[in-house]
Structure formats: C-alpha cells, structure tokens
Amino acid sequence: MLPQERAEEILTLHAAGWSTRAIAASLGHSQNTIRGYLNGDRTPGVRAPRPSLLTDLLANYCRQRFFEDPILRPSALFREVTQLGFEGSRATFYRELAQRRLPPPDHRPADPNKDSPQALADDGIAKTPRPFVPALQRAPVLPRRVAPLAGEPLISYLTRLAHANHLTVSEVLAVLPTWFSTKVNNRNDRAQHHALVPETADALLALAHLTAITTTSLARALPAFRHNDEASPLRATTACRRCTARRGINERIAVHLPAHQKICTRHRIWLSDPGQPHLDLAACPEITIAQLRANRLLHRHKPQQLMLAYQAAIREVPPWPRSPASLPAHWRYRLLILQSTNHGKGTPDDHDAYIDAAKYPDAIALTAAMLTPKTGRNP
C-alpha cells in the first residue's frame, strides 16, 4: 500500500517516459507494485486484498462443524482443516473465520442444558469445597458398577456414578485426583490442557480402580481422556434411547459421537441433532445399510475427508420438493414408512429429521462416488 503522493509520483514518471524498471529502481519498489498502480489494479491508500486460503468448500465444512459441535474450539477445527489441505497458519485461519463471520476463536455459545441436572451438579461442584479425606480412604471401590456411554461427557458419567451409589458428585470427586475437578469445571472437557496431559494416565487408573472398569473401556467411551491429536470430528447428539434403556437410564444423555455416525446400527435408530426426536429405522433397512457403507469408507479415508465429501454430496442431492406429488418414488416410499412407524411415538409428521433420513442413502452413495476411484468396485 502506497500513499497518494507516491502513487502520483509513479504516474508522473511513467508519463515522462520512464520504464517500469527505472521507476522501480528509483523509488525502491518492486516492478509488480509499479505495474499494479500503472494498470489501475491498486488504489493509493488501500491495501491490496490478500487471497483467501479458506476455500468455499472448507468454509462450508467449518460452518457445518460449528453447527454439529457447539463447543468445538477453533484450534481443534484448525487441525481438521489442515488435514484437508489448508496451507495457512493458525492466525490466517482465525482471520478467515472472522472475515466469513464464522465463530471467532473466543466463541463461547450459550449452554442449552444450563438448567439440566448435570449442569446443576456441575454448579454444585464449583460452590462446594472438597472435604478432606484421609489417604487410606482415597482408594475405594464403589459397590455399584456403572458403565459409561460412548461419547459421554465426564460430568455426566460422574453424576450417574454418584447417583447409582447414593453419593453426591462432590463426594466422588473427593476420592479422585484433582485432575477430575479441573476437567469437570471446564465446559469443554475434551480440551486437553498441556498441564493436564502428564496426569491423564494416573487419573484414568484412579477412575478404573474406583469403578472396577478397565482403563481401555473408559478411555474408549469418555472423550475427556483422549489426546487432542487422537480426536476425530465429533457431533453433538443424544444417546440412542434403546442403548440407554438397556442400562436402566430413563433420561436423555447428551453425547459426542463421530461426526459421520448418524445412526445407531445396533438398534437402527436415527440419531438426530440435540433436542430433536430420534427415528426408528427398522422398516427402512437401506438407511442403516448406508451408515454401514459410510463406516467402510473410513477404512480408506480420513474422517475429515469423509465429512467434506458428505457435505459436498448433500449440496449435490436435489432439494426436497415442496409438493408431495413431486417427490421421487423412493423418497416418497421412505417418507411414508418412516412417518407411519414413528407417528405413534409422538414424532410430528412434518419434522425435518424425516427428510434428512430419507435423503441419507442417496447422499452416502454420492459420497462414495466422490471418494472412490472408478475401478468398478463398490465400497
């Protein structure tokens, strides 16, 4: 960016017959800069815009990830887009997010479950001092064994563990390392601070001893014990109602599952976004088969690549017609089957989850076509 006086000097020298090289040597600027002002590509006093490194495809990926995971940190998203080919620095990525009006690095969305029992228990932890417990009492084994759900937040699991053993969350935390108090007081317990990483292994062993559950099972189910480098894209949803019913859980449990997992294949349940009803897919096996096909794609592609291709496929799938008479035959069939199956369970017939589930097999088929080379082999 050059001031108005210097730009006028460039034009004056050029009008006097000076060459671009001579003007650049005389004024100490590059020839490209001189050509920019001579050709009118640059305006005096206005900085030339930087080329955007965040393509529209990656920007749509970021927008969808923020929607699916409300507590996603931009630093974690930066690691995801780097694996998808983003070549800019972290500062450049944050600047691109701000320019596209995506959540900035300090984005802290409101907690939709702030009045839930888990949140109230969390508030009680922050306000209740930890009682002193002698060292000999710091290694008990609770009588009631409570298995964690896949993707369950740490505070949710500790709350269920305490209630099953007729304890308070503070009493459970009192016999655990301080690592747990730090994690549950952080709204995003998936974020691993560098100061907590060395203590993670000991904390996992302490919880395994307390619950009589193996460290492998706890680490696989609870995202709080995963390292940032091991984390794959996650989406916020609620646990399958049949999976929770098998464990004697009556309330909805918020979980973070892999972003590509839309269906509980064991019980054939469509896992909608938080606050939306689940759908029974037993009468539409092709939707569950599409989820299994997406799982197989992960054998050859990264989760970020799968989600990027899936979002591109969603935009390529024809939009849902407004008139029911204009629906393709296979969409109309799936929609009627899903509505008739789930209407008796209180799900409104006009819910968006029906449309998402009905289009899912088409989107996965197109995703596989985008990712798989044309070798004549179906993934």
Side-chain angles (χ1 to χ4, degrees):
M1 179 182 66
L2 299 180
Q4 181 71 30
E5 296 78 8
R6 182 55 62 90
E8 293 178 354
E9 186 176 358
I10 293 175
L11 297 177
T12 301
L13 294 177
H14 179 69
W18 286 43
S19 65
T20 303
R21 178 179 298 181
I23 298 175
S26 175
L27 300 181
H29 300 296
S30 66
Q31 296 186 41
N32 290 334
T33 301
I34 301 300
R35 292 193 189 97
Y37 285 97
L38 293 178
N39 298 333
D41 297 334
R42 295 189 178 186
T43 303
V46 179
R47 187 179 299 276
R50 298 180 180 180
S52 177
L53 299 179
L54 191 67
T55 62
D56 293 339
L57 188 61
L58 289 179
N60 292 331
Y61 175 85
C62 296
R63 186 175 293 105
Q64 183 66 20
R65 292 291 295 117
F66 277 123
F67 172 77
E68 293 178 342
D69 192 355
I71 60 175
L72 176 66
R73 291 192 173 189
S75 58
L77 184 59
F78 172 71
R79 289 191 292 269
E80 295 182 18
V81 297
T82 300
Q83 298 184 19
L84 294 174
F86 181 76
E87 299 179 351
S89 64
R90 187 185 299 266
T92 301
F93 177 67
Y94 290 166
R95 184 176 63 251
E96 295 279 2
L97 290 182
Q99 291 176 353
R100 293 178 179 268
R101 297 184 179 181
L102 294 174
D106 58 348
H107 178 64
R108 291 293 184 272
D111 189 356
N113 300 320
K114 64 179 181 179
D115 296 329
S116 64
Q118 298 175 13
L120 295 178
D122 195 4
D123 293 340
I125 295 170
K127 298 176 182 179
T128 304
R130 294 183 55 171
F132 172 76
V133 179
L136 295 178
Q137 300 181 16
R138 286 184 176 272
V141 177
L142 296 179
R144 291 290 302 273
R145 186 174 181 270
V146 178
L149 296 172
E152 186 175 10
L154 185 60
I155 179 59
S156 172
Y157 176 63
L158 294 179
T159 301
R160 293 196 301 111
L161 181 67
H163 290 173
N165 290 275
H166 305 285
L167 300 171
T168 64
V169 180
S170 297
E171 290 173 336
V172 173
L173 289 174
V175 296
L176 289 172
T178 56
W179 183 93
F180 288 90
S181 298
T182 304
K183 292 290 281 187
V184 299
N185 283 318
N186 185 0
R187 186 171 178 271
N188 182 9
D189 64 357
R190 288 154 34 205
Q192 284 284 17
H193 193 272
H194 64 87
L196 295 178
V197 172
E199 308 296 332
T200 302
D202 294 338
L204 183 59
L205 289 174
L207 184 61
H209 176 77
L210 181 69
T211 59
I213 299 177
T214 63
T215 56
T216 303
S217 300
L218 291 173
R220 184 185 300 116
L222 300 175
F225 290 105
R226 300 174 190 170
H227 295 291
N228 292 331
D229 296 338
E230 302 173 355
S232 60
L234 302 178
R235 59 182 287 260
T237 182
T238 51
C240 170
R241 60 173 182 262
R242 293 182 181 175
C243 291
T244 55
R246 290 178 63 250
R247 302 171 185 264
I249 305 173
N250 298 323
E251 67 273 11
R252 289 187 174 185
I253 302 296
V255 294
H256 281 84
L257 299 179
H260 74 279
Q261 184 176 343
K262 306 290 186 180
I263 300 169
C264 174
T265 55
R266 180 173 187 175
H267 298 111
R268 290 172 289 184
I269 297 294
W270 178 265
L271 304 177
S272 305
D273 295 329
Q276 298 184 3
H278 292 178
L279 300 180
D280 188 353
L281 305 177
C284 290
E286 65 271 17
I287 301 179
T288 305
I289 293 174
Q291 177 66 77
L292 298 176
R293 188 179 189 183
N295 296 343
R296 291 196 300 270
L297 289 173
L298 287 178
H299 297 166
R300 298 189 298 274
H301 306 282
K302 296 180 180 180
Q304 294 85 351
Q305 295 174 332
L306 175 61
M307 293 308 303
L308 187 65
Y310 175 74
Q311 293 173 14
I314 286 292
R315 292 189 294 272
E316 294 294 332
V317 173
W320 192 267
R322 294 184 178 181
S323 174
S326 304
L327 286 174
H330 63 292
W331 283 4
R332 186 185 304 113
Y333 170 78
R334 293 173 192 162
L335 183 62
L336 292 177
I337 292 296
L338 291 175
Q339 288 177 342
S340 60
T341 304
N342 295 273
H343 179 73
K345 301 176 182 179
T347 305
D349 291 341
D350 58 348
H351 204 279
D352 292 340
Y354 289 115
I355 299 177
D356 296 337
K359 296 169 61 175
Y360 184 69
D362 300 71
I364 291 299
L366 188 54
T367 301
M370 292 179 176
L371 291 175
T372 306
K374 297 181 179 180
T375 58
R377 176 185 174 187
N378 293 328

